[in-house]
Amino acid sequence: EPVLQLRGVTKDYGEEVVTRVLFGVDLTLRPGEFAALVGPSGSGKSTLLNLIGLLDRPTEGQVLIQGQDTSKLDDDGLARMRARSLGFIFQFHHLLGAFTAVENVMMPLLADQGYPTPEMRERALALLRAVGLGERAESPPSKLSGGQQQRVAIARALVTSPRLVLADEPTGNLDTGTSVQVFELLRRFNVEQGTSFLIVTHDPRLAERCDRIIEIVDGRIRRDEPVAH
Ligand code: ADP
Ligand code: ADP
């Protein structure tokens, strides 16, 4: 069963003056796929990612996550689906400065149950070790380098074992060497855990490291093809 299906997804912005920014997008992502979403600025990538991330609803069409039609869910239902099935990584990692690395990683687990438990902490520590930051668990984000902060954000995105991770320019503010390391880390989780990834990137070299490139232009999928490695 696909982790994600978009069926005829259209998005309009505005009320008096309506602007259509997505035009009937169809897209299927299978378990374990590692796909890049590319396209010029303003083409609709962020809008599409927000719809897939259940942060916004389409004007027309359906978003299915693991076979479930999310148009049938109310806002609480969307929030539960988001917490259970999806992980998010952003260009600016949005780590909370007042908390340690391990506390930041635990945050998505707290959404389910309002207080931290020893199991949550163990799980978060395991993820920090997996991204090579076991020794920095008690550091606040401000004491970590940009690449380390992004690795904490990756641990946080993966701590709930999501089936699909959405990454918006995950290496956008990192130098080339660090970008490749962060990217390889995503790839490792993809291979080891079978997690699907949809990665928005402006960097053609990173897109070429994915298994599939989906290009969106003016709100329509212009190209969708496998990458030959
Ligand atoms: P990029 O994808 O290049 O990082 P953004 O997604 O931030 O850029 O923005 C793409 C375009 O969308 C820009 O032209 C920006 O002005 C416009 N935009 C983003 N958010 C809004 C908004 N809330 N209202 C109107 N226009 C927006
Ligand atoms: P991308 O991420 O590819 O840069 P976006 O999805 O941000 O593209 O934007 C697609 C189009 O939608 C752009 O023309 C942008 O100006 C417009 N847009 C994005 N967000 C909003 C918004 N909240 N209100 C109005 N227009 C928006």
Side-chain angles (χ1 to χ4, degrees), residues 20 32 104 147:
R20 181 151 294 188
N104 270 279

Side-chain angles (χ1 to χ4, degrees), residues 13 39-43 45-47 91 168-169 200 202:
Y13 283 121
S41 190
S43 57
K45 301 182 299 296
S46 305
T47 300
Q91 175 171 3
D168 195 355
E169 296 282 353
V200 173
H202 279 115

Side-chain angles (χ1 to χ4, degrees), residues 77-100:
L78 289 185
R80 274 194 297 276
M81 173 75 84
R82 200 184 302 129
R84 197 171 57 229
S85 301
L86 302 175
F88 297 89
I89 301 169
F90 307 96
Q91 175 171 3
F92 300 103
H93 42 68
H94 304 304
L95 298 177
L96 300 173
F99 296 90
T100 64

Side-chain angles (χ1 to χ4, degrees), residues 3 23 63 89 120 143 158 178 182:
V3 283
F23 298 81
V63 177
I89 301 169
M120 287 182 199
K143 299 278 190 231
L158 292 161
T178 311
V182 163

